[in-house]
């Protein structure tokens, strides 16, 4: 495999630019970068790493051990969205592969994604099966949604059309990224992959998962939580806060009318109800104060921006509203998870 870097002749344009956002990921970055360098493909790849003001020596380590990597150093912590926007702006590849610093590609991953992209009649967002790095367990083949935009892991290898593929390993043509406008900077981190996939589907571009190949993921190493531990749900306040806020943003921007008018007020009510119940059952009033009320407050504070973005997105929509919900299941996923695992642990 060839790895293209800035020092190589500009005439050798990479087919794919692998963009890796890194923040204090020194313990994982070796396995991630090596999995890209060891890809079994015959075309050039460039690797771009955006370091988000790490304090664990990541910059020095990458510079010393991976001189062919295009390294972007941020002096300030700007979040996942800005990091990826900066890398794609720098990328020279026809295709973009967004990859987490705690993800490891199977050896045929890039070749598989490229072959599938060439077989598509039009642009598409593509993903691969996600496996838990520690156990090898299949986590999902993309995700479906419930009515309130909670991701539901797809485990059906025959179902390739999904609501979203996780941003830990997300492939799309550079042209499509530019058309969709990339990630909103103001999302900071979390649910940006949900936003991009929902935007693509509204524009008529498919979101698909390939049932072969895959990647291993050390889930929760960045923001903590987001996974099942010993049959219990575990997350952090930061992850929950960003997730609930940004998921609400995506609903407000992307849900077609009249579904939006029906579901969004119910979502806001249930979010507040969830905060009250969790705070009461866990005797932790800090949960509603630090997670749920800030989410509702942000919706109000950003209402003008959100209304403007919604107007632009909905005016360019190319599919009917009912088509948008073809990848949705009716049973609320949080309810299903509560009966299976109980109340989540929030640190």
């Amino acid at each position: 495999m060839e790895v293209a870097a800035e020092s190589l002749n500009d005439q050798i344009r990479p087919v794919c630019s692998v963009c890796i956002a890194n923040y204090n990921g020194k313990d994982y970055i070796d396995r991630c970068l090596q999995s890209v360098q060891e890809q079994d493909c015959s075309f050039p790849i460039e690797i771009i790493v955006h370091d988000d003001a790490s304090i664990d020596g990541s910059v020095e380590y990458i510079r010393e051990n991976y001189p062919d990597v295009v390294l972007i150093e941020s002096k300030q912590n700007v979040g996942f969205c800005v990091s990826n926007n900066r890398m794609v702006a720098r990328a020279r590849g026809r295709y973009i592969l967004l990859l987490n610093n705690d993800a490891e590609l199977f050896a045929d991953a890039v070749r598989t994604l490229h072959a599938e992209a060439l077989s598509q009649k039009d642009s598409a967002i593509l993903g691969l099966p996600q496996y838990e790095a520690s156990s090898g367990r299949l986590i999902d083949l993309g995700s479906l949604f419930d009515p309130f935009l909670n991701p539901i892991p797809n485990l059906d290898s025959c179902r390739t059309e999904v609501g979203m593929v996780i941003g830990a390993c997300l492939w799309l043509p550079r042209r499509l990224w530019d058309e969709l406008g990339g990630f909103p900077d103001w999302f900071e981190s979390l649910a940006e992959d949900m936003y991009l996939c929902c935007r693509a589907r509204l524009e008529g571009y498919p979101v698909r998962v390939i049932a072969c190949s895959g990647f291993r993921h050390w889930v929760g190493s960045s923001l903590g939580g987001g996974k099942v531990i010993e049959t219990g749900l575990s997350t952090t306040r930061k992850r929950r806060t960003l997730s609930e806020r940004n998921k609400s943003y995506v609903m407000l921007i992307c849900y077609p009318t009249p579904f939006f008018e029906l579901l969004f007020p119910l979502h806001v009510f249930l979010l507040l109800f969830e905060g009250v119940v969790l705070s009461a059952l866990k005797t932790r009033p800090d949960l509603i104060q630090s997670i749920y009320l800030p989410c509702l407050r942000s919706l109000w504070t950003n209402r003008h921006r959100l209304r403007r973005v919604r107007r632009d997105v909905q005016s360019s929509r190319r599919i009917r509203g009912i088509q948008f919900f073809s990848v949705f299941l009716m049973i609320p996923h949080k309810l299903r998870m509560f009966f299976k695992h109980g109340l989540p642990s929030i640190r």
Side-chain angles (χ1 to χ4, degrees):
M1 185 203 78
E2 282 184 84
V3 177
E6 289 180 308
S7 60
L8 295 181
N9 192 317
D10 286 340
Q11 293 181 351
I12 306 176
R13 184 179 178 183
V15 171
C16 172
S17 298
V18 181
C19 300
I20 303 168
N22 179 70
Y23 175 67
N24 289 343
K26 187 178 176 183
D27 291 341
Y28 298 92
I29 199 68
D30 262 328
R31 286 171 289 198
C32 176
L33 290 174
Q34 288 171 14
S35 76
V36 180
Q37 291 181 333
E38 294 169 1
Q39 284 300 292
D40 177 19
C41 59
S42 59
F43 49 82
I45 297 173
E46 74 171 343
I47 306 174
I48 305 174
V49 174
H50 181 282
D51 186 84
D52 203 12
S54 295
I55 56 174
D56 67 344
S58 288
V59 168
E60 295 77 12
Y61 184 81
I62 294 170
R63 188 186 296 121
E64 179 180 349
N65 293 280
Y66 299 94
D68 289 335
V69 167
V70 179
L71 181 60
I72 303 173
E73 301 176 44
S74 180
K75 300 303 180 184
Q76 295 179 320
N77 187 269
V78 294
F80 190 79
C81 290
V82 173
S83 296
N84 279 284
N85 289 341
R86 287 177 178 176
M87 287 188 287
V88 177
R90 186 81 167 266
R92 297 184 297 129
R94 179 183 175 188
Y95 296 99
I96 302 298
L97 176 60
L98 306 184
L99 190 66
N100 270 24
N101 63 349
D102 58 357
E104 306 165 28
L105 296 174
F106 287 13
D108 62 344
V110 172
R111 173 164 50 85
T112 300
L113 287 162
H114 182 246
E116 181 68 18
L118 292 178
S119 73
Q120 300 291 317
K121 293 181 179 179
D122 202 350
S123 296
I125 292 180
L126 301 175
L128 295 170
Q130 177 184 197
Y131 294 88
E132 190 174 60
S134 58
S135 68
R137 176 183 64 89
L138 176 65
I139 298 175
D140 64 51
L141 297 99
S143 294
L144 307 173
F145 294 126
D146 75 359
F148 306 105
L149 215 53
N150 295 299
I152 303 171
N154 171 43
L155 299 175
D156 182 359
S157 60
C158 295
R159 180 160 195 165
T160 58
E161 297 278 344
V162 293
M164 64 172 281
V165 295
I166 188 170
C169 180
L170 186 150
W171 168 287
L172 78 169
R174 170 65 183 272
R175 184 194 67 77
L176 180 55
W177 173 276
D178 292 339
E179 180 179 338
L180 298 175
F183 293 147
D185 288 352
W186 40 281
F187 268 49
E188 300 174 41
S189 298
L190 288 180
E192 68 289 319
D193 44 8
M194 179 185 293
Y195 167 83
L196 196 70
C197 291
C198 286
R199 285 279 287 109
R201 295 188 63 252
L202 285 172
E203 296 291 333
Y205 298 108
V207 176
R208 295 191 173 121
V209 65
I210 308 168
C212 57
S213 190
F215 70 102
R216 291 172 289 272
H217 189 195
W218 296 89
V219 180
S221 66
S222 299
L223 289 174
K227 58 183 178 181
V228 176
I229 299 178
E230 295 179 354
T231 73
L233 292 171
S234 175
T235 189
T236 64
R237 279 192 296 181
K238 181 177 182 180
R239 173 179 282 275
R240 191 81 170 219
T241 300
L242 291 172
S243 175
E244 297 295 358
R245 185 196 70 180
N246 291 353
K247 182 180 62 180
S248 299
Y249 286 171
V250 178
M251 286 184 67
L252 199 154
I253 292 169
C254 295
Y255 271 28
T257 308
F259 302 96
F260 167 75
E261 296 169 343
L262 173 66
L263 291 172
F264 192 74
L266 182 58
H267 163 72
V268 172
F269 169 77
L270 290 176
L271 203 60
L272 184 58
F273 179 75
E274 177 184 316
V276 171
V277 170
L278 271 181
S279 295
L281 292 179
K282 288 182 169 289
T283 61
R284 288 185 57 183
D286 61 298
L287 293 181
I288 190 169
Q289 294 169 1
S290 62
I291 297 176
Y292 297 93
L293 292 181
C295 173
L296 300 179
R297 195 158 45 239
S298 70
L299 290 171
W300 175 255
T301 303
N302 290 290
R303 65 191 183 281
H304 299 302
R305 169 192 274 168
L306 290 164
R307 188 181 299 122
R308 183 174 64 253
V309 176
R310 173 178 172 79
R311 183 174 60 247
D312 293 342
V313 168
Q314 294 298 322
S315 65
S316 66
R317 174 163 58 92
R318 298 176 187 169
I319 64 170
R320 294 186 303 164
I322 195 67
Q323 290 177 270
F324 179 74
F325 290 96
S326 64
V327 292
F328 282 61
L329 302 179
M330 288 301 100
I331 300 177
H333 188 54
K334 284 185 178 179
L335 191 61
R336 189 201 316 255
M337 296 299 282
F338 168 74
F339 283 118
K340 186 175 181 179
H341 301 292
L343 294 174
S345 168
I346 304 177
R347 305 186 303 280

